[in-house]
Amino acid sequence: MTLALIEHGDELKSIKLSPVTRLDLIKYAGASGDYNPIHTIDEEATRAGLPGIIAHGMWTMGNLTKLFTPYLEEGFVATYQIRFRGMVFLGDVVTLQANVQSRTDKEIIFAIKAVKQTGESALEGEATYILYQ
């Protein structure tokens, strides 16, 4: 698929991530500098009133950009806005989705979201993709 042919209502190929692991979150903590222990230590997550370790919201958000990786030669993501809708826990399987909300010759607006295996949204938002001319 190429973005040159994509139209309103079309969807990018969804991406199903592997189940979230503790190692994923430890690696993300190291890369991002977010060492909040609710993301890596069970006791601290429980002490904070959570049912268990939760993934960094930015980990999920960052993964969403994988949807656009196959199209890097066609343009770039110019704006990216999301709202966190739910927590992602260890073992959750997150599917990344994007569909075209509008398009011109210069840009495509995508509705984007990350959905857990339960059908619950972990986050939802919008991305504006600028096409190279």
Side-chain angles (χ1 to χ4, degrees):
M1 176 187 282
T2 173
L3 295 182
L5 303 175
I6 202 163
E7 299 178 357
H8 176 79
D10 286 345
E11 295 182 5
L12 297 183
K13 182 178 179 183
S14 64
I15 297 173
K16 186 175 184 178
L17 301 176
S18 299
V20 177
T21 68
R22 186 182 307 269
L23 184 57
D24 291 332
L25 302 181
I26 291 170
K27 287 179 178 178
Y28 185 80
S32 68
D34 181 351
Y35 295 103
N36 187 327
I38 64 171
H39 301 301
T40 55
I41 302 172
D42 296 304
E43 296 78 16
E44 293 298 326
T46 302
R47 194 174 319 184
L50 298 167
I53 289 173
I54 61 170
H56 305 74
M58 295 302 286
W59 177 87
T60 308
M61 182 178 172
N63 273 298
L64 255 179
T65 61
K66 292 178 178 176
L67 289 164
F68 301 99
T69 302
Y71 310 104
L72 291 176
E73 293 184 9
E74 296 184 59
F76 60 95
V77 176
T79 65
Y80 189 76
Q81 302 172 354
I82 62 103
R83 281 192 176 265
F84 297 107
R85 298 288 186 197
M87 293 182 270
V88 173
F89 297 97
L90 293 179
D92 277 348
V93 176
V94 177
T95 301
L96 312 171
Q97 303 171 338
N99 66 49
V100 177
Q101 296 299 293
S102 66
R103 102 161 266 151
T104 67
D105 291 340
K106 296 180 181 176
E107 70 178 27
I108 305 170
I109 309 292
F110 290 93
I112 54 176
K113 63 182 173 179
V115 180
K116 299 186 342 178
Q117 73 281 0
T118 58
E120 300 169 85
S121 286
L123 61 84
E124 297 177 2
E126 183 177 282
T128 302
Y129 194 89
I130 303 296
L131 296 164
Y132 294 132
Q133 300 298 308

